[in-house]
Amino acid sequence: MNPAGIEVYPRIKPKGEELQYKVKPGKKGFGITGLDEMLNGGFREGTITLISGGTGTGKTALALKFLLDGAEKCENELFLSFEEPVSQLIDNARQLGWETDKYLADGRLDIKFISPIELDVDKHAFEILDMVSSKKIDRLVIDSISSFESSVSDIQKYKDYLWAIAQQIKRRHITAIFTALNEDLFSPASVTKNQISLLADNIIILRYVEKNSSIKKVLGILKARGTNHDRDIREYEITPGGINVLGKLDKANMFI
Amino acid sequence: MNPAGIEVYPRIKPKGEELQYKVKPGKKGFGITGLDEMLNGGFREGTITLISGGTGTGKTALALKFLLDGAEKCENELFLSFEEPVSQLIDNARQLGWETDKYLADGRLDIKFISPIELDVDKHAFEILDMVSSKKIDRLVIDSISSFESSVSDIQKYKDYLWAIAQQIKRRHITAIFTALNEDLFSPASVTKNQISLLADNIIILRYVEKNSSIKKVLGILKARGTNHDRDIREYEITPGGINVLGKLDKANMFI
Amino acid sequence: MNPAGIEVYPRIKPKGEELQYKVKPGKKGFGITGLDEMLNGGFREGTITLISGGTGTGKTALALKFLLDGAEKCENELFLSFEEPVSQLIDNARQLGWETDKYLADGRLDIKFISPIELDVDKHAFEILDMVSSKKIDRLVIDSISSFESSVSDIQKYKDYLWAIAQQIKRRHITAIFTALNEDLFSPASVTKNQISLLADNIIILRYVEKNSSIKKVLGILKARGTNHDRDIREYEITPGGINVLGKLDKANMFI
Amino acid sequence: MNPAGIEVYPRIKPKGEELQYKVKPGKKGFGITGLDEMLNGGFREGTITLISGGTGTGKTALALKFLLDGAEKCENELFLSFEEPVSQLIDNARQLGWETDKYLADGRLDIKFISPIELDVDKHAFEILDMVSSKKIDRLVIDSISSFESSVSDIQKYKDYLWAIAQQIKRRHITAIFTALNEDLFSPASVTKNQISLLADNIIILRYVEKNSSIKKVLGILKARGTNHDRDIREYEITPGGINVLGKLDKANMFI
Amino acid sequence: MNPAGIEVYPRIKPKGEELQYKVKPGKKGFGITGLDEMLNGGFREGTITLISGGTGTGKTALALKFLLDGAEKCENELFLSFEEPVSQLIDNARQLGWETDKYLADGRLDIKFISPIELDVDKHAFEILDMVSSKKIDRLVIDSISSFESSVSDIQKYKDYLWAIAQQIKRRHITAIFTALNEDLFSPASVTKNQISLLADNIIILRYVEKNSSIKKVLGILKARGTNHDRDIREYEITPGGINVLGKLDKANMFI
Amino acid sequence: MNPAGIEVYPRIKPKGEELQYKVKPGKKGFGITGLDEMLNGGFREGTITLISGGTGTGKTALALKFLLDGAEKCENELFLSFEEPVSQLIDNARQLGWETDKYLADGRLDIKFISPIELDVDKHAFEILDMVSSKKIDRLVIDSISSFESSVSDIQKYKDYLWAIAQQIKRRHITAIFTALNEDLFSPASVTKNQISLLADNIIILRYVEKNSSIKKVLGILKARGTNHDRDIREYEITPGGINVLGKLDKANMFI
């Protein structure tokens, strides 16, 4: 186990297919060995990533870890939470062995919470857009885009706003993660609806599967722009030591 | 069989994976050995749990047992029933070998019944909110959140109210269970709709499966905040001796 | 074959699991050996049972037999039919070898028919409620609650009325059966919709399955309040000798 | 092959389960040996039968043959067609080796055609009701009840009308067949919708299945009031020699 | 390969089941050996055929070939196209080795094109009806009835119009093909909706299946009035040499 | 690996079925060996191709490669993008080893971007139509027709516009590709809705499948007008060396 509490089990691979893992220039990863490995170092800078999964699959934790990895590298990070209050996010991180205090203290990590009840796109749109565009942010998380969408009565406004945020992200070369709640808990989401997929350069899917009468979690990378990413469907677990990406899961049935 | 009428069958496990079962500080369990074991002692204090299942799977019984376990430890408990009258709840408990009288008598357990027909959120919202916030409650049950939802014409009001209750629960460090009726009897519920899953720190799913031409009940823990919980899908039964959580059920097909 | 025309085939069971079959005090059964056995003697007095099944699965016959069993024990019974005229019910009973005449003559069995076309809840609600509450009834059947529901334009009125009837049933310690038509002929019903399941203490599901290119009927008891009921899915047949509950049916696929 | 052009292949049965086939008093059959055998002689007099099937499964032919069998026994028959003109019905019958001319000539068979385009329930309701109630009819066919339903804008009117017709049928002890078009060609119909199943004493289901890369037709009797009918799912074919009911079809998958 | 460019692979059949193939009097076929064989010579004169299939399955080609076969026999043919311009139809025919020029020149084949965009039933209804009724047509194609339907705002008008055309077809003893686009590409169409199946004397279904990781096309004849047609599900291919109907395809899964 | 960065793995074929691969006159291909091979050289000139697939399957990359192949042959190409800005398209091409600069510089390749947010069919219709008809274009891409459709409130206008563009394409003998986003990520699209399939001479389907717990991409050609195309379902991959079409994928399950 390394200092960041990340443990990786060896992935079983055919011989001669040795993966070369080293952080590439211009790439931003999670600091989760197995996952960064799958991404060939991380996401390309200035890209937008969609993480889609059911409740409890760890979308928020993954997204937060992405920011913590950046904060550790002295970047500036912003987490826009429409789901959990700041204290709960911090507490959850602690449960996974991740400290957020020093980053919050020195300003490298900023967490803004707008409760899904209070979220009013017409009211908050410019405020949020302003946060994204005025601060010198390196990595951004919007958790979740689903809460965001469900708070808008006018779908066109939602699209316009999303587009405007995406424009700012691209323009400022921010590397962003949008999380999306998959309501059909045990079937693959329709990740392409409402144009989210048009904005997403990278898509990671999280889901539950049943294996030997236990509930397992698996992840797969559907696309990752400009990266020859790993196509395997791999098991992962969320433990007090962090998020561990394990080996391939036989008959993962991700797409059924 | 122990005094509380709880019996646990040995769970078959691979060697060396010995589970350590002891109640953790700050954890609140059911007093059902197998289940508390799966939860690594219980839920974290101040969390909200969603128990989702079809009719007859024992959601209400589980939720009541959770309160009885607290009452036995001299905590204060409140059961808000929108489905069954108090007498029926007491009678049902008796059928499972659980006595409620002494706790009701000494005030440690309080059961409030509002019939689903009479339930009018606009009318009862503040009353319920007041009960939650004014009393010094340690554990709370709302049975069921489905009755609650179906009595509201305006979904936004439902969300606002749910959020307000959740806020009070969190603020007062109450440990709560919300039950949800899964209408699709034999398929997994969409537990994430209407933002319930955003409020739920822990999710337990109950369902029927068919095994050797018999009707079995299985449960699985989807998530449990801050707890390295058991991922197995285990059979359970509701008997005159209480609720027994048994071993893993082969091919449980919880997610299909 | 016994005098009542009920024949039971031996059920294959593992040794040492000998079921004790004798009518329990305070229990009300069907007088169908196999089924009463599964119910451990019968339903608890004062409970409401939901029998759900497709057309032709014998819901009405089962419900009527339940009343005949009571009549034979000198109880007072009421059958509220919204589907079949009295003469047809009597004729159908005769086809199964059941005589209703003497019970109708001495008043122990009363059958009221309101055609589904004429059924107007607003008009008949108080009349029906009055029948339930004014007569000294031991057992009651409402056949079917589906006809009842489909005749109401206002779903809230339906719920209110159902609730009021259920209240009277509980208050007067009547043991009742509500039948429900499963429209999806070959898949399990959504028995929990419109709050019926909240009222039901006991649920029996009837359905068709295909076995060796023949059409079989199977039944399962989903729940039975206060009773450690049999969980098997057993075949049954409706014959000139009555309703016979047979053994378990391999691969019954009740839930698929 | 017998004079009526009906040929029956031997049905493979376990020994000792010899079916006794002879026409019972008060029963009305099709004059199709295999099918009458399955019905234990035929339908009970004064009952209503629903024949449900996809296009081309032979609902109309079966219904017409039922009338021809009665005409041959000097009964009076009425065929109400909302789908095919009289000439086409006669021609179709001829293709199956059935002569209708003599029965039409001597008045024992009457065929009335109202095109589905012209069918206007408000206009034709009393006319049809009048035909059913004024004539001394022994057997009646309504082909199809689906055309009938789709021509009504007000579903309540449809129900009222259907009920009124059914009342006349029962009152006059007419034996009737209603055909219903199953729109989901290859899956079992929801035969219970719109209260048809409440009126139907007998239900026969026709459907296509694929067997060894050929298209087969199978039929099953779901219920037959007052008759201990055959439960097998049997293949049948429509040939120039009439309708032949063959043996059981392995893995008929009627209900899937 | 014969002069018409039609090639047929031998169909594997059990011995003694020798199919007799010769064109029957009063029958109209495609001039495609395998298919005419399946139809026992062709469709009966004066019948309407529905050909249903997904895009690219060759509905239009089959329908055109039917007319060319008639033209070769000196009949008069009319092709009403709501999908493809005349030139494209001619070009497509040429790709399959079929010459249309001489038939167009001598007037035996007439092709009328109304673009689906311009098609206005209210405007074109009488014109089309006039074409059908005024010309001495032997064979008629409407390609496709789906375009026709989607251009009508009032479904009742569509039904009336369809019925009127069908009446003219029957009255004039025209042999007609209506094509229908199956929108669910890989599942069997609901061919019975909107009363098309009431008009269709014959139904041919075309669909894609996957076999050994290749895309195959199969066809089946669901019904053919007055014809003891072949029930097999057979593969076919569309090649520069025309349309070839091959043998049965194992596990064709036409109905799943 | 050849200069264009295209690598093809040998396709396993039965002996004697040697495919002849050479570019045919009047055919336009992708310059992707395996795919052009499947198309027997390419699409016929003046045809419209629909490429349908989920997000990340490479629709845009395939379409762009089609234009680059033409540009290399000194043709004039136009790419209408409603999804990605020009810079992103160029960057994406570079990731696959494709240079666009020289073609953009010498005017052989033109890329027009209208953001999906700004796309207003009423406003842009004539402009786009003008681009198609005024320029001497050899190959055209519209990426995607789905964005185009979702920006239109009036479906009839969408159809009219699409039809007008298609008319211009046909008239000017332009060879065009329309891409379509399949929203149901893991199931085959309904490619035939809204008359797109009426316009499409050729249809290529892209989709994800799971194989040995890895995410694979497969493609199949559903139809290709005037071409005896390959019917296999073949794996492909998008790599820094371009798009590689590999061999058949066992149990590709393209249609399930």
Side-chain angles (χ1 to χ4, degrees), chain F residues 18-29 32-43 73 227:
Chain F
E18 217 171 273
L19 269 182
Q20 295 142 354
Y21 177 61
K22 51 181 179 179
V23 178
K24 301 283 170 61
K27 291 242 178 165
K28 293 192 185 299
I32 298 173
T33 316
L35 186 51
D36 291 345
E37 209 179 86
M38 289 180 77
L39 286 165
N40 208 2
F43 303 120
K73 288 164 182 144
T227 300

Side-chain angles (χ1 to χ4, degrees), chain D residues 210 212-213, chain E residues 209-211 249-254:
Chain D
E210 178 175 336
N212 299 331
S213 297
Chain E
V209 295
E210 178 175 336
K211 183 86 183 179
L249 191 74
D250 272 359
K251 290 173 190 161
N253 293 331
M254 173 163 270

Side-chain angles (χ1 to χ4, degrees), chain B residues 7-235:
Chain B
E7 183 183 13
V8 172
Y9 292 18
R11 182 187 153 225
I12 292 108
K13 284 176 300 172
K15 278 183 188 178
E17 194 205 338
E18 216 170 274
L19 269 182
Q20 296 141 356
Y21 177 61
K22 50 180 178 179
V23 179
K24 301 285 170 59
K27 292 244 178 162
K28 292 194 186 298
F30 289 86
I32 298 173
T33 316
L35 185 52
D36 291 346
E37 212 180 85
M38 289 179 76
L39 287 165
N40 208 0
F43 303 119
R44 289 184 62 207
E45 280 186 29
T47 58
I48 296 174
T49 299
L50 179 72
I51 298 183
S52 171
T55 185
T57 51
K59 294 178 303 296
T60 300
L62 264 185
L64 183 58
K65 186 68 180 70
F66 181 72
L67 295 198
L68 294 177
D69 184 68
E72 204 180 338
K73 287 163 182 146
C74 298
E75 299 173 1
N76 293 312
E77 324 294 14
L78 175 60
F79 192 109
L80 290 178
S81 172
F82 304 136
E83 306 210 337
E84 292 178 276
V86 180
S87 60
Q88 190 170 314
L89 276 168
I90 293 171
D91 179 67
N92 281 347
R94 192 172 295 126
Q95 297 294 332
L96 303 178
W98 303 335
E99 280 312 313
T100 55
D101 289 354
K102 59 176 175 177
Y103 303 129
L104 289 165
D106 66 14
R108 272 180 282 165
L109 175 64
D110 195 3
I111 305 179
K112 298 288 184 198
F113 173 61
I114 302 170
S115 90
I117 291 305
E118 290 155 15
L119 178 59
D120 171 345
V121 169
D122 294 321
K123 186 176 150 199
H124 290 100
F126 296 96
E127 192 182 328
I128 293 169
L129 201 49
D130 191 59
M131 270 190 276
V132 175
S133 56
S134 65
K135 296 199 175 185
K136 214 208 137 310
I137 301 168
D138 293 293
R139 303 189 188 193
L140 167 76
V141 164
I142 295 183
D143 181 51
S144 69
I145 213 162
S146 313
S147 287
F148 194 64
E149 181 178 352
S150 69
S151 75
V152 189
S153 53
D154 180 349
I155 195 68
Q156 187 58 43
K157 265 189 194 161
Y158 164 74
K159 287 183 188 173
D160 291 356
Y161 186 34
L162 210 60
W163 185 258
I165 293 176
Q167 290 293 90
Q168 287 300 331
I169 288 169
K170 300 271 177 182
R171 189 164 304 158
R172 289 165 191 287
H173 217 63
I174 296 169
T175 311
I177 288 179
F178 294 176
T179 66
L181 183 63
N182 186 347
E183 297 217 355
D184 281 323
L185 202 52
F186 306 111
S187 65
S190 172
V191 300
T192 63
K193 68 175 177 177
N194 286 332
Q195 268 142 321
I196 299 178
S197 72
L198 295 187
L199 302 174
D201 300 294
N202 319 302
I203 297 181
I204 295 180
I205 293 183
L206 311 178
R207 71 168 297 192
Y208 294 106
V209 295
E210 179 175 335
K211 182 87 185 179
N212 299 331
S213 298
S214 287
I215 303 171
K216 305 286 189 188
K217 287 193 277 272
V218 293
L219 64 77
I221 301 169
L222 213 60
K223 69 173 179 181
R225 207 174 137 219
T227 299
N228 198 1
H229 63 89
D230 191 331
R231 295 273 163 194
D232 287 350
I233 299 167
R234 294 174 69 174
E235 189 184 349

Side-chain angles (χ1 to χ4, degrees), chain E residues 92 210 212-215 217, chain F residues 225 231-233 249 254:
Chain E
N92 281 347
E210 178 175 336
N212 298 333
S213 297
S214 286
I215 302 171
K217 286 193 277 273
Chain F
R225 209 176 137 216
R231 295 272 164 194
D232 287 350
I233 300 165
L249 191 74
M254 172 163 271

Side-chain angles (χ1 to χ4, degrees), chain F residues 10-226:
Chain F
R11 181 187 153 225
I12 292 110
K13 285 177 299 172
K15 279 184 186 176
E17 195 205 337
E18 217 171 273
L19 269 182
Q20 295 142 354
Y21 177 61
K22 51 181 179 179
V23 178
K24 301 283 170 61
K27 291 242 178 165
K28 293 192 185 299
F30 290 87
I32 298 173
T33 316
L35 186 51
D36 291 345
E37 209 179 86
M38 289 180 77
L39 286 165
N40 208 2
F43 303 120
R44 288 185 62 207
E45 279 186 30
T47 58
I48 296 174
T49 299
L50 179 71
I51 298 182
S52 171
T55 185
T57 51
K59 293 178 303 297
T60 301
L62 264 184
L64 183 58
K65 185 68 180 69
F66 180 73
L67 296 198
L68 294 177
D69 183 68
E72 205 180 337
K73 288 164 182 144
C74 298
E75 299 173 1
N76 292 313
E77 325 293 13
L78 174 61
F79 193 110
L80 291 178
S81 172
F82 304 136
E83 306 210 337
E84 292 177 276
V86 180
S87 61
Q88 190 170 314
L89 276 168
I90 293 172
D91 179 66
N92 281 346
R94 192 171 296 127
Q95 298 293 331
L96 303 177
W98 303 335
E99 279 313 312
T100 55
D101 289 352
K102 59 175 175 177
Y103 303 128
L104 289 166
D106 65 16
R108 272 181 282 164
L109 174 65
D110 194 4
I111 305 179
K112 298 289 183 198
F113 173 61
I114 302 170
S115 91
I117 290 307
E118 289 155 15
L119 178 59
D120 172 345
V121 168
D122 295 322
K123 188 175 148 199
H124 291 99
F126 296 96
E127 191 182 329
I128 293 168
L129 201 49
D130 191 60
M131 270 190 275
V132 175
S133 56
S134 66
K135 296 199 176 186
K136 214 207 136 317
I137 301 168
D138 293 292
R139 305 189 188 194
L140 167 75
V141 164
I142 296 184
D143 181 50
S144 71
I145 213 162
S146 313
S147 287
F148 194 63
E149 181 178 353
S150 70
S151 76
V152 189
S153 52
D154 180 348
I155 195 70
Q156 187 57 44
K157 265 188 195 163
Y158 164 75
K159 286 184 189 172
D160 291 354
Y161 186 34
L162 211 59
W163 184 258
I165 292 176
Q167 289 293 89
Q168 287 299 332
I169 289 169
K170 298 272 175 182
R171 188 163 304 159
R172 290 167 190 285
H173 216 64
I174 296 168
T175 310
I177 288 179
F178 294 178
T179 66
L181 182 63
N182 186 347
E183 297 217 354
D184 281 322
L185 202 51
F186 306 110
S187 64
S190 172
V191 300
T192 63
K193 69 176 177 180
N194 286 332
Q195 269 141 320
I196 299 179
S197 72
L198 294 187
L199 303 174
D201 300 293
N202 319 302
I203 298 181
I204 295 180
I205 294 183
L206 312 178
R207 70 167 299 190
Y208 294 107
V209 295
E210 179 174 335
K211 183 87 185 180
N212 300 331
S213 297
S214 287
I215 302 171
K216 305 286 190 188
K217 287 193 278 270
V218 292
L219 63 77
I221 301 169
L222 213 60
K223 69 173 181 182
R225 209 176 137 216

Side-chain angles (χ1 to χ4, degrees), chain D residues 54-57 82-85 87-89 91-92 95 113 115-118 144 147 150 181-186 207-217 238-240, chain E residues 44 156 159-160 163 167 170 188-195 197-198 200-201 203 205 220-223 225-228 231-234 248-256:
Chain D
T55 185
T57 50
F82 304 136
E83 306 210 336
E84 292 178 277
S87 61
Q88 190 169 314
L89 277 168
D91 180 67
N92 281 347
Q95 298 295 331
F113 172 61
S115 90
I117 290 306
E118 289 154 17
S144 71
S147 286
S150 71
L181 182 64
N182 186 346
E183 297 216 355
D184 281 323
L185 202 52
F186 306 110
R207 70 167 298 190
Y208 294 107
V209 295
E210 178 175 336
K211 184 85 184 179
N212 299 331
S213 297
S214 288
I215 302 171
K216 305 285 190 189
K217 286 193 277 273
I238 304 173
T239 73
Chain E
R44 288 185 63 207
Q156 187 57 42
K159 287 183 188 173
D160 291 355
W163 185 258
Q167 289 293 91
K170 299 271 176 183
S190 171
V191 299
T192 64
K193 68 175 178 179
N194 286 332
Q195 270 141 319
S197 72
L198 294 187
D201 300 294
I203 297 181
I205 294 184
I221 301 169
L222 213 60
K223 69 173 180 183
R225 207 175 137 218
T227 300
N228 199 1
R231 295 273 164 194
D232 287 350
I233 299 166
R234 295 173 67 176
K248 278 168 84 164
L249 191 74
D250 272 359
K251 290 173 190 161
N253 293 331
M254 173 163 270
F255 297 161
I256 298 176

